[in-house]
Amino acid sequence: MKDNTNILTIITWVVLLSAISVLLNDLREFDFNRFEEFQNWAKTADKNESWFASKNVIQWNYYAISAGLFFWRGYLIYGFSYFLSILKEIENGHYFSDNNIKYFKKIGNIFIQYTISVLILRFILALIGESTFNFFNELKAEFTFLIPAGLAFYILAEIFKRGKQAEEDNELTI
């Protein structure tokens, strides 16, 4: 079992490091030159134009929402890091520990929070005209798997909770 846990740990590290690498590359490629434009928005704004409808505010919203999307991707990677904690608990022989139950619930929460938040941010991004948004296409993309995966982790948490209760009951009967 220890060999399988080591293999799973290595695979998890590879997935985490590659996801971090992709996120950092996307951050690097993001157009940070716009940030200088955002800092000068007060100088270039038309004083007669409504502040909420000005082009600079729309650009600032695009920048802020894009930053939010990067945050949520980092948060999803953080959620994947809990797999390492679960594998460490299993390696130590604590299969039905309170920590594993807590980690499964946290992973489920993160997956569902990520999916809902990114859908909302992409919808808002489409409203300000910086992207196209089709709810069903977005749902068919990566989100199709994350909500069911999040729910599956809630189920795993419940299974492990009942497994822990059964384990404690068995220890009392011996």
Side-chain angles (χ1 to χ4, degrees):
M1 181 66 174
K2 186 168 176 93
D3 290 337
N4 291 339
T5 307
N6 288 337
I7 291 170
L8 289 173
T9 301
I10 290 169
I11 291 171
T12 304
W13 273 111
V14 167
V15 168
L16 281 172
L17 292 176
S18 62
I20 290 169
S21 143
V22 168
L23 177 61
L24 291 175
N25 186 48
D26 288 348
L27 279 169
R28 184 184 59 80
E29 289 179 358
F30 184 68
D31 188 10
F32 282 109
N33 294 332
R34 284 192 181 202
F35 186 68
E36 292 174 12
E37 293 175 21
F38 302 140
Q39 290 176 334
N40 298 324
W41 73 272
K43 295 176 187 174
T44 61
D46 182 7
K47 303 298 181 195
N48 297 327
E49 186 179 19
S50 170
W51 185 79
F52 290 107
S54 71
K55 181 180 177 186
N56 291 320
V57 171
I58 291 172
Q59 288 178 339
W60 176 255
N61 285 334
Y62 170 73
Y63 181 78
I65 290 170
S66 296
L69 289 171
F70 287 130
F71 165 78
W72 283 106
R73 284 178 59 193
Y75 190 59
L76 183 65
I77 293 169
Y78 169 72
F80 278 115
S81 70
Y82 279 112
F83 287 116
L84 294 171
S85 301
I86 291 169
L87 290 171
K88 186 154 185 81
E89 285 286 318
I90 289 172
E91 187 176 306
N92 293 334
H94 306 282
Y95 299 102
F96 300 110
S97 70
D98 287 330
N99 287 336
N100 278 348
I101 295 166
K102 180 176 65 173
Y103 296 147
F104 280 127
K105 284 183 181 178
K106 282 185 179 183
I107 292 171
N109 280 334
I110 289 171
F111 279 18
I112 292 172
Q113 288 171 354
Y114 169 84
T115 304
I116 292 170
S117 299
V118 168
L119 277 173
I120 290 169
L121 288 176
R122 286 191 182 172
F123 178 73
I124 294 171
L125 206 61
L127 285 177
I128 63 172
E130 292 289 336
S131 75
T132 59
F133 179 85
N134 183 332
F135 181 77
F136 295 108
N137 285 339
E138 294 293 334
L139 203 57
K140 284 192 292 185
E142 62 189 271
F143 304 113
T144 306
F145 301 108
L146 288 178
I147 286 183
L151 295 174
F153 284 112
Y154 278 125
I155 293 168
L156 278 173
E158 188 61 31
I159 290 170
F160 272 59
K161 185 177 176 182
R162 295 207 181 176
K164 182 180 182 215
Q165 290 172 349
E167 187 178 61
E168 290 172 353
D169 290 344
N170 284 341
E171 288 176 6
L172 292 175
T173 58
I174 295 177

